[in-house]
Amino acid sequence: MAVKRGFFLIIGLCSLVLGLIGIVLPLLPTVPFILLAAFCFSRSNDRLHHWLVNHPWFAEGIRQWQSNRALSRPLKKKAMLMSVLSFGVSIAIVPIGWVKMMLLCMMLFLVFFLWRIPELE
């Protein structure tokens, strides 16, 4: 049992770190990593799970996803806006044309993915 909890704790911590890096690095999606961290913490560490689901940055989205498998329209818009801004800065900074195109395609895929997530009424 301790090995299982330790495994979930390590995966949760790694997911949390990747999610936090994803806030500023457009190639890493923040939301899936934070949701994975919440899942792992719920099975390994009550204190970290409580901290994450009550954190001002992540609490609303985690609660909405866990209870309804959907997000509110304002939260979806914020996620899309931040994604477009983050990718836009990266596209503007990168000097290589094919990398710009790859980033643009990734941005469009991510925005499409976010757009397809069901909305709360």
Side-chain angles (χ1 to χ4, degrees):
M1 192 67 165
V3 173
K4 185 177 174 182
R5 288 186 71 200
F7 173 75
F8 278 117
L9 180 63
I10 290 170
I11 299 298
L13 290 171
C14 291
S15 297
L16 180 62
V17 168
L18 289 172
L20 293 174
I21 293 170
I23 292 172
V24 294
L25 212 140
L27 297 177
L28 288 175
T30 300
V31 173
F33 284 120
I34 298 300
L35 292 175
L36 178 60
F39 172 81
C40 291
F41 290 157
S42 72
R43 282 153 180 74
S44 64
N45 190 306
D46 291 334
R47 191 170 140 209
L48 282 174
H49 183 257
H50 183 268
W51 171 80
L52 187 61
V53 298
N54 291 303
H55 192 279
W57 289 359
F58 309 119
E60 181 183 0
I62 291 172
R63 285 190 196 118
Q64 289 175 4
W65 184 257
Q66 286 180 339
S67 62
N68 303 309
R69 292 290 187 244
L71 298 174
S72 67
R73 183 177 299 238
L75 189 59
K76 276 180 60 172
K77 283 184 178 181
K78 186 194 298 186
M80 284 191 260
L81 176 66
M82 293 306 294
S83 297
V84 169
L85 289 174
S86 180
F87 270 99
V89 169
S90 296
I91 291 169
I93 291 173
V94 171
I96 304 168
W98 70 269
V99 175
K100 287 180 186 255
M101 288 304 296
M102 181 184 69
L103 288 170
L104 179 65
C105 290
M106 292 170 73
M107 178 188 73
L108 293 174
F109 178 78
L110 179 60
V111 169
F112 178 72
F113 173 78
L114 290 170
W115 178 69
R116 298 274 302 160
I117 292 175
E119 289 181 3
L120 293 173
E121 311 243 343

